Amino acid sequence: MPEARPPLPAEPVLTSLVLALFGDVASAEQNWHEARHWYRRALAAPDGDRAHDRARAALGTLPPQRPDDR
């Protein structure tokens, strides 16, 4: 019988609140592209706490996207 291997460590998971806070920091620095990135990641996070509402509201207040700003 082969030896049992120890389990691999779990990948770190950032909560939607942490991701939304990263978006807040980027927004405060007026880095709109990065702010959108973090707010969208917060909305995609599996935990469904109030950070989703925060990220959705923040996305609505950012300046319009330029065509070259994804």
Side-chain angles (χ1 to χ4, degrees), residues 6-7 16 21-22 26 34 41 54 57-58:
S16 59
L21 289 173
F22 286 163
E34 184 177 342
R41 292 262 323 259
R54 176 189 186 106

Side-chain angles (χ1 to χ4, degrees), residues 37-48:
H37 167 79
W38 291 116
Y39 289 138
R40 288 177 181 144
R41 292 262 323 259
L43 289 173
D47 59 328

Side-chain angles (χ1 to χ4, degrees), residues 15-28 38-39 42 51 54-55:
T15 65
S16 59
L17 179 59
V18 171
L19 296 166
L21 289 173
F22 286 163
D24 291 346
V25 170
S27 181
W38 291 116
Y39 289 138
R54 176 189 186 106

Side-chain angles (χ1 to χ4, degrees), residues 32-68:
W32 314 126
H33 177 75
E34 184 177 342
R36 279 186 187 84
H37 167 79
W38 291 116
Y39 289 138
R40 288 177 181 144
R41 292 262 323 259
L43 289 173
D47 59 328
D49 62 17
R50 294 172 51 189
H52 284 190
D53 295 332
R54 176 189 186 106
R56 193 173 295 106
L59 273 172
T61 62
L62 291 177
Q65 268 184 283
R66 295 184 319 244
D68 62 339

